[in-house]
Amino acid sequence: MTQSDNPLQTLRRRLLLVSSVTAALVGLITWYTESERIDEKVLAMVVMAAHRIPPATLEAHAQGKLAAADLEHLVEQIATDHFGIVELYDHNKTRLIEYVPPELKHLEEELKRGGHVELTTQPRYMKHLIQGEFALVVAVPIARPGGAPVGYLEGVYLPDQETMTQIQEDVMRTVAMVVLAIVLTALTVYPVVLALHRELLARSRSILRGNLEMLEVLGSAIAQRDSDTNIHNYRVTLYAVALGEAVGIAASQMRNLIAGAFLHDVGKIGISDNILLKPGRLTPEEFAVMKTHVTLGGDILRQSAWLLQAREVVAYHHEKYDGSGYMEGLAGEAIPLNARIFAVVDVFDALTSRRPYKGPMTPAEATDIMRRDRGTHFDPHLLDRFLPLATRLHETYGQADETRLRAILLLALERYFMKETA
């Protein structure tokens, strides 16, 4: 298991990812919200400028008491306050005056193509970007407090760069504060989450140790019934791990293989002693009963969701590659990979071990016999990967005592089980 698989590393990456994504999303939302406020701030400036035309002035003009030149002069004054085009309308929305500063004549047609803002009892606006400059086309009603509009001012407001820079700096400052708050919150929460995570891992490791102990105890009970010790379970499990690593199975599949190797004969608990411990060859009837241990094993494993991971090996390790095995007569890759791996190492260990009815073979003698069953009993690819390893594995594990084998196996358990909750 690589360092990148360490749960604490994963936790740190996930917290970093979540805080980064949250900061980015909230920052974007804040930017959008504050950008909308830019429009509102500019609109407020426009409304203040429009209020420089008192309702009384328009009323006087409508009554003929104010000369057109005076009204035009007032509009020109407003235009100096960052306005481009300025249009003044009466209460019937009839245009009275249109004024465009000489320096902005070249923008008039481009501005007009953007359309007019509807004249209503509330200030309205549209945003435009004209030749790279921000502009707000606005329409502001001119009215006495609580009264109907006596006229309208429509214009294009072009805020100066200094004003826009100040507003944008305010927006960036707000976004930065929001992002900083999220980052600081993540840094504050991290130790708490880490402590809770470590507590959870400690509990998980405790539960896992209990499950592994149950695996070992149950395997030992099976071995005792079979007039053996745990040494067979240890040895065949280590052989299986070596072959599994040689063919590159995933860590999750390796855990299933280890559990299956430990419990491969769990169903023998249900076989009577006169058959299980018979020193000679079994009769066809007795062998038929013996074969049922794979079915019994599957039934036993169903009592535990954790032990069920061993089922592939327990239920199918006596299937043969050509379909002549038992209990289901599966063939080829229809047999689960872990069962095909275990079939190879189980036979090798059986041939090289001492049994009540035979002596141990040498690795060379055992592999010669196994080659004959290449493609019939054994998966050819798996057998080909195992045979170059067989002698070395036998030298390492075949003659080792139970204490040594158990110590080596504990390292494998640490590698494939305990590190997933490290």
Side-chain angles (χ1 to χ4, degrees):
M1 186 171 293
T2 64
Q3 183 69 19
S4 62
D5 292 323
N6 187 304
L8 291 180
Q9 294 276 358
T10 301
L11 175 64
R12 293 188 187 99
R13 287 199 307 271
R14 288 178 179 174
L15 283 175
L16 177 61
L17 177 62
V18 169
S19 59
S20 299
V21 170
T22 302
L25 288 176
V26 174
L28 288 173
I29 293 171
T30 304
W31 171 263
Y32 176 79
T33 303
E34 290 298 310
S35 296
E36 290 296 309
R37 291 179 59 188
I38 291 178
D39 301 341
E40 294 172 5
K41 290 178 181 179
V42 174
L43 182 59
M45 296 177 187
V46 175
V47 172
M48 289 179 62
H51 285 166
R52 292 172 61 184
I53 300 181
T57 300
L58 287 181
E59 290 171 343
H61 181 271
Q63 296 168 4
K65 297 178 180 179
L66 182 69
D70 293 333
L71 190 60
E72 184 175 348
H73 178 68
L74 185 57
V75 169
E76 289 177 3
Q77 287 182 326
I78 293 174
T80 62
D81 194 9
H82 304 299
F83 273 93
I85 297 174
V86 180
E87 296 178 351
L88 196 61
Y89 295 82
D90 65 13
H91 68 285
N92 292 320
K93 302 180 182 179
T94 301
R95 187 166 61 189
L96 301 174
I97 296 174
E98 179 183 31
Y99 176 79
V100 180
E103 65 273 14
L104 295 178
K105 281 285 187 182
H106 63 288
L107 298 179
E108 182 176 6
E109 291 303 318
E110 188 173 349
L111 288 168
K112 285 183 176 180
R113 283 197 296 271
H116 287 268
V117 180
E118 184 182 359
L119 303 177
T120 68
T121 58
Q122 298 295 326
R124 303 288 295 273
Y125 70 92
M126 292 190 304
K127 288 187 293 185
H128 286 278
L129 192 64
I130 301 171
Q131 296 186 359
E133 296 293 331
F134 173 78
L136 210 63
V137 180
V138 297
V140 181
I142 300 172
R144 296 182 184 278
V150 297
Y152 302 89
L153 183 146
E154 182 182 12
V156 179
Y157 191 79
L158 302 170
D160 62 272
Q161 187 59 47
E162 182 180 351
T163 300
M164 290 304 299
T165 299
Q166 182 60 49
I167 294 174
Q168 289 169 354
E169 287 177 355
D170 290 343
V171 171
M172 291 301 298
R173 191 176 299 109
T174 302
V175 172
M177 291 297 292
V178 170
V179 172
L180 180 61
I182 293 173
V183 172
L184 289 177
T185 300
L187 292 175
T188 302
V189 169
Y190 175 70
V192 178
V193 174
L194 184 61
L196 292 174
H197 184 67
R198 283 175 171 160
E199 182 179 352
L200 178 62
L201 290 181
R203 292 176 184 270
S204 298
R205 287 174 67 91
S206 178
I207 293 171
L208 182 57
R209 285 193 188 94
N211 286 333
L212 293 174
E213 289 171 1
M214 176 176 65
L215 192 70
E216 188 173 7
V217 168
L218 189 54
S220 177
I222 299 162
Q224 293 298 329
R225 277 234 54 216
D226 206 9
S227 294
D228 205 343
T229 64
N230 263 339
I231 195 166
H232 166 67
N233 280 338
Y234 293 152
R235 196 167 50 231
V236 78
T237 300
L238 289 169
Y239 287 155
V241 169
L243 181 52
E245 289 176 342
V247 298
I249 66 174
S252 59
Q253 199 166 6
M254 181 67 81
R255 290 190 287 271
N256 296 346
L257 177 60
I258 291 172
F262 249 108
L263 302 178
H264 65 280
D265 279 338
V266 66
K268 287 184 178 179
I269 290 176
I271 303 300
S272 63
D273 287 350
N274 62 328
I275 293 177
L276 184 65
L277 304 180
K278 183 177 180 179
R281 183 179 294 274
L282 299 177
T283 66
E285 293 77 14
E286 290 170 336
F287 186 61
V289 173
M290 177 63 82
K291 288 193 297 185
T292 64
H293 80 276
V294 296
T295 304
L296 293 172
D299 292 340
I300 292 170
L301 295 181
R302 288 191 184 93
Q303 309 305 311
S304 167
W306 195 83
L307 293 179
L308 199 58
Q309 63 185 315
R311 184 176 182 276
E312 285 187 349
V313 172
V314 171
Y316 302 111
H317 70 282
H318 283 296
E319 302 288 350
K320 295 184 179 181
Y321 198 73
D322 64 357
S324 63
Y326 62 89
M327 294 290 287
E328 298 186 20
L330 300 180
E333 294 188 2
I335 305 169
L337 175 60
N338 278 350
R340 283 179 278 142
I341 289 174
F342 187 78
V344 172
V345 301
D346 188 37
V347 170
F348 178 76
D349 187 66
L351 294 175
T352 56
S353 300
R354 182 178 299 279
R355 295 293 171 86
Y357 50 87
K358 73 171 193 66
M361 294 183 181
T362 66
E365 292 170 333
T367 53
D368 281 344
I369 292 175
M370 294 175 71
R371 282 191 183 92
R372 299 171 199 165
D373 290 330
R374 183 182 184 276
T376 54
H377 190 158
F378 308 114
D379 180 324
H381 171 68
L382 295 177
L383 184 64
D384 291 345
R385 296 301 299 269
F386 179 74
L387 292 179
L389 308 174
T391 299
R392 177 180 61 81
L393 291 176
H394 186 265
E395 290 173 353
T396 304
Y397 306 133
Q399 306 303 318
D401 60 23
E402 185 172 342
T403 301
R404 172 64 177 160
L405 290 175
R406 186 176 188 275
I408 298 172
L409 185 56
L410 286 176
L411 295 176
L413 295 178
E414 174 73 20
R415 188 162 65 250
Y416 288 107
F417 284 92
M418 303 306 291
K419 278 190 178 180
E420 65 172 327
T421 58

